[in-house]
Amino acid sequence: MSTASSRQDLIERAAAAFPDEVVTHAPVRVLDLPGGAGRFALVTLDNGFDHTKPTTFGPRGLANIDAALDQVAELAASGAIVAAGVTGKPFIFAVGADLKAVAAAESAELARATGKQGHDVFRRLGELPVRTFAFVNGAAMGGGVEIALHCTYRTVSSGVPAFSLPEVFLGLVPGWGGTQLLPRLIGPDKAVTVILDNPLSQNRQLKAKQVYELGIADAIFEPADFLEESLAWAAAVVKGEIVVERRTYDEAEWTAALERGKQIADSRVHGATPAPYLALELIGKARTASRDEGFDAEDDALADRIMSEELRSGVYSFNLVQKRAKRPVGAPDKSLAKPVTKVGVVGAGLMASQLATLFVQRLAVPVVLTDIDQERVDKGVKYVHEQLDFQALKGRLNSDKLNRLKALVTGSLTKDAFADADFVIEAVFEEMSVKQQVFAEVEAVVRPDCVLATNTSSLSVTEMASKLEHPERVVGFHFFNPVAVLPLLEVVRAEKTDDATLATAFVVGKNLKKNCVLVKDAPAFVVNRILTRFMGVVNQVLDEGTPVETADRALDPLGLPMSPFELLELVGPAVGLHVAETLHASFPDRFPVSENVRRLVEAHKRGIYQWVDGVRVVDPELETLFEVGDRPSTPEQVLARAVEALAEEIDLMLAEGVVAAAEDIDLCMILGAGWPFHLGGITPYLDRSGVSEKVAGHRFLAKGVASLP
């Protein structure tokens, strides 16, 4: 069998393995360029659905693009066109390979064929006898960016909200030309930012202006007449009226970029996943490799990653965030939700002020804050106004909307201001008696149908509501700090919370643009319970005599976004101690309270470390402040104890019904704690490392769900 027929056989097998592909079509139109520049063949990528189902590339879709480029090649060979281009359907350019097709590959041979097919099709855009243009009219990710890179020139609509090469975030590498073409186009340093730094920064997206400023796009136009302006610009290029200069990059620039990339990978994943290092290796190859050599190397790397456990966990994570998070398990029918036309916030401290900012921005309804004195109230209102001003400075609010939102935010010393509120949330000190008193005061003035929400991070919502006349309208509404950034919202159903209250909470959460997960009213709910359990192990080994750096860096193989003691500094030792004490009261055998953390709190320390001349060092005062034993552990022992504790706790949480399934625990850890996609949250890692079966006696997920079949 010839190489071509063998490759075609693999493509057909890949298509057969993915019968549910949403097929992208690629109709060709021939247009007249303005100013008599000549005829232009435009390929439009379109899967036949609106923007809510973005265009992706599977085996049949790639075959359609290949057939379209056959037409374009014939037109070019006959002299019927002077240039060609590709664009997308309204609001969407293309968002890359269909991850279902990627996950359907059951062998390295099929996986490599996936990479090869993309290369064979896309490279034609860079090898036609006429100049080619990508008109990026909407969201572009992964293969969508790469098909544009294969073109000679690119324009971008200023309305494009998201542009990225997110593969490393998922445990993949850009495998259809991205690692070879982008460094040569914009330079290796900027390519490292796009291919490594952004994906490893919680999959940060580029906006259209950044795409242009980086040099990925050669021109930027407004959305209203984007296609017309792009065609006019293409005509000017064809006629020689516009000349786009490309520069080359010297060896020193390549060396510095690769060194920076290595530092980024080490600091973010600590060697826990090969993907960023493979991507960096491919970027380095782009300096000297021929097109064939570079694309072959991408095919090999892509095949390796597709047949890896990390990629399967990454796809699982992606599906959790894109699907499960948008349809929360256990949420009542939204038709039961009550309308929310005014919101009350009890407290005017930092957390309460963040909540007030979020509510007024997203709901655009009156928001009133209360606190115990006028100075605090004024400070809270001022904070919200300053945040709104900041949004206006960034161009996210025009002056009219800014003034309207500011006018909606008020303060009051009395809770009578809540009399006509539909939703009141408290964010006061984490003390049960304080919260019970607050709710009693609020219940005395609000309407009987007003929902009362608590932002508690660990206390019992049931107990909080137990002394109220209407405990059924109380719900947990646990945000994560910083409120504006972290997308998770734990919605806590107490023993008497009714469906209308719960439905209202879910609708409000969605309108706040948060991802809601239903959790049972159990100590510390999900994220804080898991974080406190593994922090308890780290604190314990420190107390036993393990050196600080050993205890702190032992979990590096998990590739977590921050080390345990960095996390302790972020949340604050006092908060960490409070949550540990709450859990210790419920589960004393599994949640010890570290006396050394208590000493940190009593000494008013911010954490374990200090910064001296820009260098992080262990606070020297800890030597006299801490009391430690003489039983140090090795990093391997610390990691083993930590992951076994996690497996035990997760198994118990599932048995208690804290969430509906292991998938919800993973979703919470990804969205609320920033745990890596390549871990799949946590349970896929525990499964593939054998820890689940060792500790719990079973896997948390069926084989093939977040792992190789």
Side-chain angles (χ1 to χ4, degrees):
M1 185 182 291
S2 69
T3 302
S5 60
S6 174
R7 187 177 306 137
Q8 183 59 36
D9 177 62
L10 285 171
I11 291 170
E12 290 174 1
R13 284 170 55 193
F18 183 36
D20 299 328
E21 177 183 351
V22 177
V23 179
T24 292
H25 302 281
V28 180
R29 288 185 292 159
V30 178
L31 312 168
D32 288 315
L33 288 172
R39 302 274 278 168
F40 185 95
L42 181 63
V43 179
T44 301
L45 307 171
D46 191 345
N47 61 7
F49 294 89
D50 67 16
H51 67 280
T52 60
K53 191 177 282 290
T55 303
T56 55
F57 302 130
R60 294 179 185 83
L62 288 171
N64 286 340
I65 298 169
D66 200 28
L69 293 177
D70 284 341
Q71 295 179 50
V72 174
E74 288 178 12
L75 291 166
S78 67
I81 58 171
V82 295
V86 60
T87 192
K89 67 184 183 182
F91 308 110
I92 299 291
F93 183 69
V95 297
D98 192 314
L99 290 176
K100 291 180 182 176
V102 172
E106 296 179 351
S107 69
E109 186 182 35
L110 278 177
R112 198 175 196 285
T114 297
K116 186 67 175 167
Q117 186 187 14
H119 277 132
D120 287 349
V121 174
F122 290 177
R123 72 183 297 168
R124 298 183 67 184
L125 285 161
E127 296 169 358
L128 287 167
V130 295
R131 282 176 280 198
T132 52
F133 298 78
F135 302 148
V136 183
N137 63 307
M141 300 173 197
V145 170
E146 287 171 303
I147 194 172
L149 291 175
H150 280 271
C151 295
T152 324
Y153 307 99
R154 284 148 297 281
T155 66
V156 65
S157 166
S158 61
V160 169
F163 184 104
S164 66
L165 288 170
E167 288 84 355
V168 166
F169 182 62
L170 295 169
L172 271 172
V173 295
W176 285 342
T179 68
Q180 303 305 294
L181 301 174
L182 189 63
R184 293 173 181 174
L185 176 68
I186 64 173
D189 190 67
K190 291 177 182 176
V192 162
T193 296
V194 177
I195 295 172
L196 259 75
D197 194 8
N198 287 354
L200 294 178
S201 300
Q202 291 300 303
N203 199 22
R204 184 166 56 214
Q205 301 290 308
L206 297 172
K207 302 292 186 184
K209 185 180 178 184
Q210 295 170 300
V211 174
Y212 174 64
E213 291 173 344
L214 282 167
I216 301 173
D218 301 303
I220 184 169
F221 302 113
E222 292 299 312
D225 54 357
F226 173 70
L227 183 57
E228 292 84 353
E229 290 289 338
S230 293
L231 288 168
W233 187 84
V237 171
V238 168
K239 292 164 71 175
E241 296 169 357
I242 292 176
V243 176
V244 177
E245 301 289 345
R246 307 282 188 219
R247 61 159 292 198
T248 57
Y249 301 87
D250 60 35
E251 187 171 350
E253 289 174 291
W254 284 90
T255 300
L258 296 174
E259 287 177 353
R260 186 172 79 92
K262 177 69 162 53
Q263 292 171 356
I264 290 168
D266 287 345
S267 66
R268 306 282 171 76
V269 302
H270 315 292
T273 175
Y277 301 96
L278 266 175
L280 199 59
E281 184 180 318
L282 290 166
I283 292 171
K285 189 177 285 290
R287 186 173 74 86
T288 57
S290 68
R291 178 169 288 211
D292 285 342
E293 290 169 340
F295 290 175
D296 283 346
E298 282 188 336
D299 289 340
D300 291 339
L302 194 64
D304 172 79
R305 290 292 81 215
I306 288 175
M307 298 311 295
S308 71
E309 296 281 5
E310 291 91 354
L311 183 275
R312 305 307 166 114
S313 292
V315 172
Y316 164 78
S317 298
F318 180 84
N319 288 332
L320 289 181
V321 171
Q322 293 299 315
K323 296 177 182 177
R324 193 176 184 94
K326 291 176 171 53
R327 294 186 290 275
V329 176
D333 192 291
K334 63 183 180 181
S335 65
L336 298 173
K338 306 169 187 177
V340 173
T341 60
K342 181 177 178 179
V343 172
V345 181
V346 185
L350 179 58
M351 191 64 178
S353 299
Q354 288 185 70
L355 294 178
T357 304
L358 182 68
F359 275 97
V360 75
Q361 270 191 283
R362 301 297 190 206
L363 303 187
V365 300
V367 176
V368 58
L369 299 94
T370 65
D371 215 312
I372 58 175
D373 60 57
Q374 193 64 47
E375 182 181 355
R376 296 187 194 200
V377 170
D378 291 344
K379 185 177 179 181
V381 173
K382 181 183 177 184
Y383 175 92
V384 179
H385 285 181
E386 287 174 345
Q387 293 303 304
L388 294 173
D389 285 334
F390 182 64
Q391 294 298 313
L393 283 173
K394 295 176 75 172
R396 294 177 181 172
L397 294 176
N398 61 37
S399 58
D400 286 344
K401 188 169 184 182
L402 172 64
N403 291 331
R404 285 200 307 273
L405 293 183
K406 279 186 171 182
L408 290 172
V409 182
T410 58
S412 172
L413 284 176
T414 169
K415 295 181 179 64
D416 290 342
F418 298 153
D420 56 345
D422 306 295
F423 191 98
V424 175
I425 184 168
E426 68 77 23
V428 298
F429 185 66
E430 281 284 282
E431 172 65 46
M432 181 60 73
S433 61
V434 174
K435 291 182 182 288
Q436 286 180 330
Q437 179 183 344
V438 161
F439 271 160
E441 293 171 355
V442 171
E443 188 176 49
V445 298
V446 297
R447 297 194 313 262
D449 60 347
C450 177
V451 170
L452 305 183
T454 171
N455 186 48
T456 183
S457 60
S458 60
L459 299 177
S460 168
V461 180
T462 300
E463 185 179 351
M464 211 176 293
S466 62
K467 298 180 180 180
L468 297 179
E469 186 178 345
H470 294 288
E472 70 278 0
R473 59 169 166 184
V474 178
V475 65
F477 216 55
H478 181 217
F479 292 87
F480 292 81
N481 202 12
V483 171
V485 176
L486 290 175
L488 179 66
L489 181 59
E490 290 180 335
V491 178
V492 186
R493 182 166 205 161
E495 285 182 12
K496 295 187 178 180
T497 305
D498 63 22
D499 284 350
T501 297
L502 200 61
T504 305
F506 274 99
V507 170
V508 169
K510 183 177 181 180
N511 291 338
L512 294 174
K513 297 188 178 180
K514 296 299 181 183
N515 296 124
C516 302
V517 175
L518 179 63
V519 303
K520 182 182 176 182
D521 186 19
F525 317 126
V526 177
V527 175
N528 283 343
R529 180 164 167 180
I530 290 175
L531 291 179
T532 304
R533 183 71 198 271
F534 98 86
M535 277 296 303
V537 171
V538 176
N539 288 331
Q540 203 165 19
V541 299
L542 179 67
D543 295 348
E544 291 167 358
T546 303
V548 168
E549 286 291 347
T550 300
D552 199 28
R553 303 261 56 111
L555 271 65
D556 281 359
L558 296 179
L560 300 179
M562 59 184 67
S563 71
F565 293 142
E566 289 170 344
L567 176 64
L568 182 66
E569 184 171 335
L570 176 69
V571 303
V575 173
L577 177 64
H578 170 73
V579 177
E581 289 175 334
T582 300
L583 282 160
H584 178 76
S586 299
F587 313 116
D589 295 340
R590 303 196 309 278
F591 289 89
V593 175
S594 169
E595 292 305 313
N596 282 328
V597 172
R598 193 185 303 280
R599 293 183 184 100
L600 274 182
V601 174
E602 291 170 350
H604 304 291
K605 295 284 186 182
R606 292 182 57 192
I608 298 287
Y609 298 112
Q610 287 184 341
W611 289 91
V612 179
D613 297 328
V615 178
R616 192 184 73 173
V617 297
V618 176
D619 186 339
E621 293 183 14
L622 298 189
E623 189 171 342
T624 55
L625 184 65
F626 278 7
E627 294 180 12
V628 298
D630 57 0
R631 294 182 292 113
S633 297
T634 65
E636 294 77 16
Q637 290 170 329
V638 176
L639 178 61
R641 282 173 65 175
V643 296
E644 286 175 14
L646 287 175
E648 180 186 31
E649 202 59 37
I650 289 167
D651 192 43
L652 290 167
M653 290 168 71
L654 292 172
E656 293 170 22
V658 175
V659 289
E663 287 89 340
D664 293 312
I665 284 179
D666 292 322
L667 186 58
C668 286
M669 298 313 295
I670 292 166
L671 296 179
W675 281 28
F677 264 48
H678 70 260
L679 283 188
I682 184 59
T683 67
Y685 170 84
L686 297 173
D687 284 346
R688 71 171 179 258
S689 61
V691 176
S692 302
E693 293 188 69
K694 177 183 177 182
V695 174
H698 57 85
R699 295 173 62 94
F700 292 120
L701 300 167
K703 198 162 180 62
V705 171
S707 60
L708 290 167

